């Protein structure tokens, strides 16, 4: 169910933190989305829309809700929209990426900081959405209502709209509940940052060994022909 957008003061909400890079290793933190109970029994979750430097993003990028829950998008900075991947919406004419029984939505482009838009999720499944001005710059998000399902869960994310960072899978969103932007998946090897630095270390060790072999083969360290060494 789509609900009309409203305006509110800029200072009413502060942007939530996101992953920082410290000492060459990216540290991920999973933060719960601010949520409040509704009189009807559902819960309201908040997603921020932000511009920061050269980045445009929704935070959290992945969110799990239950049927009857409402999501409120808040325009913290920049000019953004929250728009479902459906053919009736602006600047998208591709395949539908929300459940077949769900109502599409479009907040329109907010130009004022503090503007809000709400949508109540009723159909179970996976919902992908985007920002009209910044879709092709990777400003996209994913919400799973109840359990994964529908075209967004069954098909790859549009390559032209590759998110800034990585789009979490529907299953990961259900498992974690809320995933901050930028999402960086972890692996059994300690995640991409540790794999990177491990690779750098292995390359450095190999290079040092080959240099040593070459240096010794050059004769640089051979014993000079001195009297008495014959």
């Amino acid at each position: 169910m789509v609900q009309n957008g409203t305006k509110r003061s800029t200072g009413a909400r502060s942007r939530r933190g996101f992953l920082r890079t410290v000492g060459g290793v990216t540290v991920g933190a999973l933060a719960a989305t601010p949520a409040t109970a509704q009189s009807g029994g559902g819960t309201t979750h908040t997603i921020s829309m932000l511009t920061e430097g050269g980045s445009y993003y929704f935070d959290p990028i992945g969110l799990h809700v239950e049927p009857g829950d409402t999501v409120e998008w808040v325009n913290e900075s920049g000019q953004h929209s929250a728009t479902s991947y459906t053919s009736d919406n602006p600047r998208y004419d591709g395949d539908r990426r929300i459940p077949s029984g769900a109502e599409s939505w479009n907040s329109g482009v907010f130009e004022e900081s503090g503007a809000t838009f709400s949508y109540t999720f009723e159909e179970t499944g996976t919902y992908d959405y985007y920002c009209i001005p910044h879709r092709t710059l990777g400003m996209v998000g994913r919400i799973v209502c109840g359990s994964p399902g529908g075209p967004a869960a069954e098909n790859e994310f549009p390559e032209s709209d590759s998110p800034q960072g990585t789009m979490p899978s529907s299953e990961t969103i259900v498992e974690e509940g809320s995933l901050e932007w930028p999402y960086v998946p972890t692996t059994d090897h300690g995640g991409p940052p540790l794999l990177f630095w491990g690779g750098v270390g292995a390359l450095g060790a190999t290079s040092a060994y080959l240099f040593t072999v070459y240096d010794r083969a050059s004769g640089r360290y051979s014993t000079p022909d001195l009297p008495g060494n014959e």
Side-chain angles (χ1 to χ4, degrees):
M1 178 185 298
V2 179
Q3 301 176 3
N4 293 330
T6 58
K7 306 292 184 181
R8 47 155 225 173
S9 63
T10 305
R13 297 184 189 273
S14 60
R15 60 152 301 180
R16 302 193 348 269
F18 57 93
L19 302 179
R20 299 290 186 182
T21 302
V22 181
V25 178
T26 302
V27 180
L30 302 180
T33 308
T36 57
Q38 302 182 79
S39 59
T43 299
T44 297
H45 307 263
T46 301
I47 295 178
S48 297
M49 302 186 286
L50 300 115
T51 296
E52 185 174 71
S55 297
Y56 312 91
Y57 59 95
F58 296 103
D59 190 19
I61 189 173
L63 176 66
H64 180 236
V65 302
E66 296 294 345
D69 285 0
T70 296
V71 171
E72 181 185 60
W73 285 269
V74 182
N75 190 39
E76 300 286 0
S77 56
Q79 299 180 1
H80 305 295
S81 79
T83 307
S84 62
Y85 272 92
T86 47
S87 59
D88 59 325
N89 278 330
R91 299 190 182 179
Y92 183 71
D93 56 4
D95 296 330
R96 181 184 182 94
R97 297 191 63 80
I98 67 174
S100 59
E103 183 180 355
S104 66
W105 76 85
N106 177 27
S107 68
V109 178
F110 290 131
E111 297 184 358
E112 179 182 345
S113 179
T116 67
F117 172 80
S118 297
Y119 179 92
T120 299
F121 290 80
E122 298 171 343
E123 299 288 331
T124 60
T126 302
Y127 295 70
D128 285 347
Y129 64 94
Y130 63 94
C131 168
I132 293 173
H134 306 118
R135 174 175 64 84
T136 56
L137 295 178
M139 187 169 177
V140 296
R142 173 169 289 167
I143 295 170
V144 179
C145 178
S147 58
E154 298 164 1
N155 302 310
E156 293 293 330
F157 200 84
E159 190 172 324
S160 61
D161 303 349
S162 297
Q164 296 184 353
T166 301
M167 178 61 72
S169 68
S170 298
E171 292 74 15
T172 300
I173 292 173
V174 172
E175 180 181 350
E176 301 295 345
S178 177
L179 292 161
E180 288 188 330
W181 180 95
Y183 170 66
V184 180
T186 59
T187 69
D188 292 338
H189 301 288
L194 293 183
L195 288 174
F196 170 78
W197 290 112
V200 169
L203 179 62
T206 301
S207 299
Y209 170 75
L210 292 176
F211 177 79
T212 300
V213 171
Y214 169 80
D215 205 24
R216 289 185 178 279
S218 69
R220 177 180 178 181
Y221 299 106
S222 60
T223 304
D225 295 331
L226 297 175
N229 287 342
E230 299 179 356

